[in-house]
Amino acid sequence: MQKLQIHFLGGSGTVTGSKFYLHTDEIKILVDCGFFQGAKELRKQNWESLPIQVSEIDVVLLTHGHLDHCGYLPLLVKQGFRGKILGTEPTLEIARIILEDSAKIQEEEAERANTEGYSKHHPALPLYTQKDVAFCLRLFESIEEGEINTLSENCTARYHYNGHIIGSTYIEINLFDKVFVFSGDVGRQEDELLRPPKQPEWADYLFVESTYGDRLHPEEDVEAILDNLVDRAIEERGVLIIPSFAVERLQSLMYQLWKLYKRNTIPNIPIFVDSPMGINVLKVFEHFPEWHKLPSTEYRNMQNRITLVGSYGETWETIDDPRPKIVIAGSGMVTGGRVLTYIQQLGDLESTTILLVGYQAEETRGRKLLEGASELKIFGKLIPIKAEIHHLESLSAHADQKELLEWMGTIKNIPEKVFLIHGEPPAMETYQHKIVEKFGWKCHIPKLNEIVELYL
């Protein structure tokens, strides 16, 4: 009999910072290595070393390349990790783009804080640098979706397509003849760009996200909403600002707007995409056509219709452009990136519209806007908000409660335990009741830094 310890180092009681550590005498595995976002108390943990022997970790398995699943990797390496970091080829490419961008933003914000003197820390420092990221990338090793990978004598791992973003998977770990399934972030059954997620057939222990475990996505007429907001921007001679996640959401929005323009539903209004990371992700879509369903001709036509903003100088040129316009800029929860500059300069105008797309975590600026904030703190200063705020939830890249239950519904056995992860407490508790009601399975909601022991 083998003892397994599972350390819930992130993504537990929260939607960010996903890190799940499987510790046995034979092999030590970290599933995802995410960055904490949102609440200050969570973000503080990014500055702390993990409460494990990092140098003992043999391998990191990445479900996908979002910051809350890969953003802590450079810090893991700084703390002594020297094993392999495994993911699908597009996941590793997305992770590279996101980590390089994250380091660049941190360096720029630290420099700005030191110059303007608004940080409590003297000097303000980035969590990690672009050099740290470059060192971390040496450990990346790609694997094929669907193939069995031998990690040790009694452990294999297999990655399965699960939608959400390009390259995203759920991971099936066979450890001492027990099957551990980590859902990652499960995608939608119907998505503009991605195919429906594959579904697990067996799970002795299931670790499933619960971001939308307490709700269904509303049935919104996305095209009509976008059409109305574009009309408002034209009538008010204002700007429609869409904060967007750089991976999948940004490309999906581009495609939606391109389709509206192609059908003459919206006029030839200037559309700017100001996200260096999002622009780089477009190249990933081009390089990995087998991972999505956007035809190459549509991809090229869409790009030709939209202005891609490269430099920060071009950001200011876009702001100063007096024409009514649409600006899609990172980040999706307004936690950083170029969108902060647009809101800082244009958020106090009644002619401005801000369209939030998808999930907004607790205490992020995006959540505060949804809750009616009259001002936001940006770059150390309070900025009044007079812009009109809208929310489109149906474009979320996460499965809702119904879709999650359907995703789990193909499991043929009765799991020994279901662990609910990657969700806020109300969503987890509601989803737990639904699982018990529908399947009768035993569920556990782990706390942050909790350790669960199993005997295999």
Side-chain angles (χ1 to χ4, degrees), residues 346-455:
L346 303 170
D348 65 340
L349 301 177
E350 292 180 358
S351 59
T352 297
T353 303
I354 300 174
L355 173 61
L356 298 165
V357 181
Y359 192 79
Q360 305 296 316
E362 286 184 336
E363 294 193 35
T364 59
R365 292 186 186 91
R367 176 70 75 90
K368 289 174 182 177
L369 286 172
L370 280 183
E371 292 170 347
S374 59
E375 57 186 16
L376 287 182
K377 193 171 187 179
I378 298 177
F379 303 136
K381 298 176 182 177
L382 288 173
I383 306 300
I385 300 297
K386 297 179 183 176
E388 193 170 286
I389 310 300
H390 292 263
H391 188 209
L392 249 182
E393 206 169 323
S394 60
L395 280 184
S396 172
H398 286 269
D400 65 11
Q401 183 191 85
K402 180 175 180 289
E403 291 167 323
L404 284 171
L405 290 170
E406 288 174 355
W407 181 79
M408 295 162 57
T410 52
I411 295 174
K412 297 174 181 176
N413 66 311
I414 299 175
E416 295 181 36
K417 186 73 67 76
V418 177
F419 296 95
L420 300 187
I421 56 174
H422 199 288
E424 293 175 358
M428 289 180 164
E429 290 162 10
T430 301
Y431 193 47
Q432 180 182 35
H433 292 312
K434 276 289 180 183
I435 293 171
V436 173
E437 177 185 301
K438 185 174 179 65
F439 301 114
W441 296 348
K442 293 179 181 177
C443 292
H444 177 62
I445 301 176
K447 294 181 174 62
L448 191 60
N449 295 317
E450 182 177 338
I451 299 174
V452 172
E453 289 189 354
L454 303 175
Y455 291 88

Side-chain angles (χ1 to χ4, degrees), residues 41-111:
E41 290 306 310
L42 287 175
R43 297 198 313 272
K44 281 182 179 178
Q45 298 198 40
N46 292 326
W47 293 90
E48 298 174 5
S49 296
L50 294 182
I52 59 174
Q53 290 295 322
V54 168
S55 60
E56 294 182 357
I57 302 172
D58 296 296
V59 63
V60 176
L61 307 180
L62 292 182
T63 61
H64 64 290
H66 269 151
L67 190 68
D68 62 325
H69 291 259
C70 75
Y72 194 85
L73 283 171
L75 295 168
L76 194 77
V77 174
K78 286 178 76 172
Q79 291 169 37
F81 173 73
R82 293 296 182 270
K84 296 178 180 178
I85 300 170
L86 302 182
T88 65
E89 198 171 353
T91 282
L92 297 185
E93 186 59 17
I94 293 293
R96 178 191 67 78
I97 292 168
I98 282 181
L99 290 174
E100 289 176 348
D101 185 77
S102 173
K104 186 170 184 289
I105 288 173
Q106 289 179 58
E107 288 176 331
E108 289 173 350
E109 289 188 350
E111 183 180 355

Side-chain angles (χ1 to χ4, degrees), residues 193 226 242 244 246 248-261 271-273 278-279 282 294 298-299 301-308 328 395:
L193 302 180
L226 289 173
I242 310 179
S244 176
E248 207 273 331
R249 193 74 48 77
L250 182 143
Q251 294 77 31
S252 180
L253 283 164
M254 288 175 64
Y255 188 48
Q256 293 271 6
L257 291 167
W258 158 247
K259 287 195 304 178
L260 289 173
Y261 169 73
I271 302 173
F272 297 90
V273 169
I279 293 168
L282 278 170
L294 179 63
E298 288 285 87
Y299 170 85
N301 291 334
M302 175 180 79
Q303 283 222 89
N304 291 336
R305 168 64 185 86
I306 290 167
T307 302
L308 303 178
I328 307 172
L395 280 184

